[in-house]
């Protein structure tokens, strides 16, 4: 696992952003997770991506680096301070202001306002207790052949199903979202054991 994380090297901009994100407790994605996001966006030639959970901006930079040069990242977060930091991070990483659209608000209030089947990828990395609801909106937003990606997917495997288990809403929601992805015949899923776990699925609706 250490070799996997070391294989994808962060440049100076990402290292600086990661350090700031850790100080702010925004949980920046690991280098391997970021590399996977860049790979997926590059593989499908993504021009329009939605990110739920802006954080410190590190995942946004990885996504933008894989997207087409004219691509636009739409990123949603409830914390305006995080988005201001991310806006500066994108600029420091060399991206023009028109490459990103930062929307302040609760994702489940913002996503219904976005256009159906208009996005190449949706990346979920926010309130894990709402993952199942995010997934429903994400699938509506995706074009045919688009990809939905859920971060922290391996947390669902940490549940103890014994009789004395205390239910954790976040982990329960992640497990439910994973079940929905696995059982949806219109999705082609893949669980990647990197970082906190990435569950990716191609939509063929």
């Amino acid at each position: 696992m250490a070799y996997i994380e070391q294989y994808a090297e962060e440049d100076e901009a990402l290292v600086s952003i990661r350090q700031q994100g850790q100080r702010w407790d925004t949980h920046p994605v690991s280098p391997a997770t970021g590399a996977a996001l860049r790979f997926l966006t590059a593989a499908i030639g993504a021009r329009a991506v939605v990110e739920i959970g802006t954080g410190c901006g590190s995942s946004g930079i990885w996504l933008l680096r894989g997207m087409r040069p004219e691509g636009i990242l739409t990123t949603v977060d409830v914390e305006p301070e995080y988005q201001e930091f991310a806006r500066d991070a994108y600029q420091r990483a060399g991206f023009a202001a028109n490459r990103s659209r930062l929307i302040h608000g609760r994702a489940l209030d913002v996503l219904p306002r976005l256009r159906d089947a208009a996005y190449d990828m949706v990346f979920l990395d926010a309130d894990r207790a709402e993952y199942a609801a995010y997934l429903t909106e994400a699938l509506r937003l995706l074009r045919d052949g688009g990809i939905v990606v859920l971060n922290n997917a391996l947390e669902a495997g940490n549940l103890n199903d014994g009789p004395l288990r205390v239910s954790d809403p976040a982990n329960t929601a992640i497990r439910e979202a994973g079940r929905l992805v696995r059982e949806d015949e219109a999705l082609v899923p893949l669980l990647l054991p990197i970082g906190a776990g990435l569950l990716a699925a191609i939509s063929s609706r």
Side-chain angles (χ1 to χ4, degrees):
M1 185 65 72
Y3 177 72
I4 294 173
E5 291 296 342
Q6 293 169 2
Y7 184 81
E9 295 183 355
E10 294 178 314
D11 59 15
E12 185 176 342
L14 279 169
V15 169
S16 174
I17 291 162
R18 165 180 293 282
Q19 292 171 345
Q20 181 68 56
Q22 289 170 339
R23 287 193 293 270
W24 284 27
D25 197 29
T26 61
H27 307 289
V29 297
S30 74
T33 299
L37 294 175
R38 180 182 60 188
F39 178 90
L40 290 171
T41 53
I44 61 174
R47 291 183 172 87
V49 174
V50 174
E51 176 186 47
I52 304 173
T54 305
C56 64
S58 62
S59 54
I61 290 174
W62 284 107
L63 289 165
L64 284 164
R65 286 181 174 174
M67 294 169 65
R68 299 288 294 270
E70 72 277 14
I72 297 175
L73 171 68
T74 298
T75 180
V76 182
D77 205 294
V78 294
E79 298 292 345
E81 296 86 356
Y82 292 174
Q83 292 201 315
E84 285 304 313
F85 182 77
R87 193 189 312 275
D88 179 65
Y90 300 156
Q91 182 178 2
R92 283 187 285 139
F95 295 104
N98 64 359
R99 292 291 312 280
S100 60
R101 178 173 60 152
L102 292 92
I103 303 177
H104 170 237
R106 181 171 171 265
L108 293 179
D109 295 329
V110 174
L111 296 177
R113 305 201 301 264
L114 302 183
R115 189 155 56 92
D116 292 7
Y119 295 89
D120 304 300
M121 180 185 289
V122 181
F123 175 50
L124 314 183
D125 190 20
D127 184 354
R128 296 189 292 280
E130 296 186 333
Y131 264 32
Y134 293 158
L135 177 63
T136 299
E137 289 294 328
L139 295 179
R140 178 184 61 79
L141 297 176
L142 284 177
R143 64 165 174 81
D144 184 31
I147 300 178
V148 61
V149 184
L150 293 74
N151 197 20
N152 303 299
L154 291 180
E155 292 187 10
N158 296 329
L159 288 178
N160 177 2
D161 290 322
L164 300 180
R165 178 175 67 86
V166 177
S167 177
D168 181 297
N171 283 359
T172 300
I174 293 172
R175 176 175 280 193
E176 173 63 11
R179 183 190 67 79
L180 292 171
V181 168
R182 186 176 61 249
E183 296 179 357
D184 190 332
E185 294 183 357
L187 297 176
V188 180
L190 174 65
L191 179 58
L192 299 172
I194 55 176
L198 280 183
L199 175 59
I202 300 173
S203 173
S204 59
R205 298 179 187 278

